[in-house]
Amino acid sequence: MSAPATCDIEVDLAAVRSAHARIAPHIHRTPVLSSGSLDDAVGSKLFFKCENLQRVAAFKARGACNAVLSLSAEEAKRGVVTHSSGNHGAALAWAARLRGIPAWIVMPSNAAQVKLDAVKEPTVAAREATCAAVEAETGATLIHPYNDWRVIAGQGTAALELLEDEPDLDAVITPVGGGGLLSGTAIVAKGVRPSIKVYGAEPAGADDAYRSLRAGRIIPQTDPRTIADGLRSSLGDKTFAVLSTNVDAIETASEEAIVRAMRLLWEKLKMIVEPSSAVPLAVLLERKISLDGLRVGIILSGGNVDLDHLPWQT
C-alpha cells in the first residue's frame, strides 16, 4: 500500500538498533508466547510479543525511555511534557524519574481510571493548550505520544526483539491508534525482512487510520466509539508518512470481536491485556486478513485494565 508521504522519514533500522542499545538496560525483554488453541481459532501459527509485561505494563515505556535518554543535558534539566490518554503519560513519568528530571503529564477526563491512577495529578484541561502553557512557562521538551521520531524508534525495538526471537515470521500485526507502534514495527520488519507483511489492526468504531491510508491523506479521528481507549488518537504527519509507505494494510474489528479476543487471550494465553491489545487477534478471528498457515507475530501492546469494569461483565 502506498500514498504520498507528508514528511521525510527520519528513522531507519539503524536508528532503532541504536535506540535498543540505549534503552535495553532499563526495559524488560518481554517474552514471546504461543497457544495451540489460538492457532486453531485463526488458522495461523501465532507468536505473541507480551508488552503487557513491559515497564508500566505497556510498550510505551520503550518510546518514552528512548526520547528521554536522547535529550541533551541542557534539555533534560528543563524536564519533559506530554499529553496522553494514559500509557504514554505513565511511561514518560517513569522515564523522567529514571533520569531524575521533571515531567508534566496532561490527561483527558475520559481516560480509564487504571491509567489515571498511574499518573500523578491528571488534568481535564484541553491537552494541547495545557502542554503549550507548560512548555512556555518551564522550557520543558514536548514528547509527543507517537508523532515523534525518538518515540517511533523506541517503539520499534519491540519488533526488533520479536524478529530476533522468531526470525521466520511471514507477517506481523500491531494495534494502531496514533501509529507510533505500527510505524516502528514497519520500519524494523521491512528493514530486517523485506518480504514480510506488516498489518495494522484498528477498531471499526475508531477507523481513521483505515480510512486515511485508503484516501491517501490524514482523516482525523472525530468521534471514536470503542472500548479500546488506547486507539482513539488520530495519525500524525510522521506516522502517516511511515504507514503509507511501509504498511501492507490496515483492517478493522468489531467491538464484539475485540471483547472475544481479549477474553480468549486471558483464558488461553493466561495474559491480562487491555482491549487495545486484543484488536489484532480480533481482526484475525473475523478473518479480515488471509494468513492461513502462515507464521504471524502479534504485539500485545499493554495490560492496564480496570478490573472493576471488564467488558464481558454485566
Side-chain angles (χ1 to χ4, degrees):
M1 177 175 295
S2 63
T6 54
C7 63
D8 293 334
I9 297 173
E10 298 180 14
V11 170
D12 57 12
L13 179 59
V16 178
R17 292 193 190 280
S18 294
H20 192 254
R22 185 177 297 116
I23 70 176
H26 310 290
I27 61 168
H28 297 315
R29 174 105 185 194
T30 54
V32 178
L33 302 183
S34 59
S35 162
S37 296
L38 295 178
D39 293 350
D40 292 342
V42 303
S44 304
K45 180 64 176 175
L46 304 180
F47 299 88
F48 295 91
K49 176 68 169 167
C50 297
E51 286 297 289
N52 56 311
L53 302 179
Q54 187 52 263
R55 299 279 189 179
V56 308
F59 76 94
K60 294 283 191 177
R62 295 174 180 271
C65 188
N66 188 53
V68 167
L69 296 183
S70 296
L71 296 174
S72 68
E74 184 63 27
E75 290 172 321
K77 71 180 182 182
R78 294 194 296 268
V80 290
V81 60
T82 197
H83 55 81
S84 167
S85 63
N87 284 340
H88 175 70
L92 192 66
W94 164 75
R97 286 195 301 271
L98 186 69
R99 191 162 178 180
I101 64 175
W104 290 266
I105 315 297
V106 181
M107 297 186 71
S109 59
N110 64 347
Q113 187 61 47
V114 67
K115 296 179 180 180
L116 290 172
D117 290 343
V119 180
K120 191 174 182 179
E121 298 178 0
T123 176
V124 298
R127 290 177 289 174
E128 290 83 358
T130 303
C131 280
V134 172
E135 285 183 84
E137 181 177 347
T138 66
T141 297
L142 174 66
I143 307 296
H144 194 278
Y146 50 86
N147 203 44
D148 182 303
W149 294 121
R150 298 162 298 187
V151 170
I152 290 169
Q155 315 306 29
T157 62
L160 191 67
E161 293 178 359
L162 173 61
L163 285 164
E164 287 175 354
D165 292 343
E166 298 294 339
D168 297 326
L169 294 179
D170 300 299
V172 62
I173 311 175
T174 83
V176 55
L181 177 61
L182 183 55
S183 292
T185 297
I187 290 167
V188 168
K190 296 294 188 180
V192 170
R193 193 174 185 190
S195 64
I196 200 169
K197 298 294 185 182
V198 179
Y199 299 102
E202 191 172 41
D207 65 344
D208 65 299
Y210 172 88
R211 290 181 288 119
S212 294
L213 262 66
R214 280 155 180 76
R217 59 183 176 84
I218 295 175
I219 298 177
Q221 192 79 265
T222 55
D223 186 26
R225 296 174 182 265
T226 178
I227 60 170
D229 61 289
L231 306 182
R232 295 172 181 164
S233 302
S234 297
L235 298 178
D237 63 334
K238 297 176 177 62
T239 56
F240 178 74
V242 177
L243 302 192
S244 63
T245 55
N246 291 279
V247 170
D248 292 278
I250 294 176
E251 297 296 342
T252 64
S254 67
E255 293 297 287
E256 293 78 12
I258 294 170
V259 173
R260 181 189 172 204
M262 182 179 175
R263 183 160 185 161
L264 280 171
L265 287 163
W266 285 43
E267 290 177 345
K268 305 301 183 183
L269 210 60
K270 309 306 179 188
M271 284 288 108
I272 297 176
V273 300
E274 57 193 73
S276 299
S277 292
V279 178
L281 179 58
V283 165
L284 294 180
L285 289 169
E286 292 192 311
R287 303 289 176 165
K288 295 293 185 67
I289 306 172
S290 178
L291 298 173
D292 289 351
L294 300 183
R295 297 168 59 85
V296 181
I298 293 177
I299 297 181
L300 296 178
S301 54
N304 288 305
V305 183
D306 187 345
L307 297 178
D308 292 326
H309 298 92
L310 295 176
W312 51 79
Q313 292 176 330
T314 58

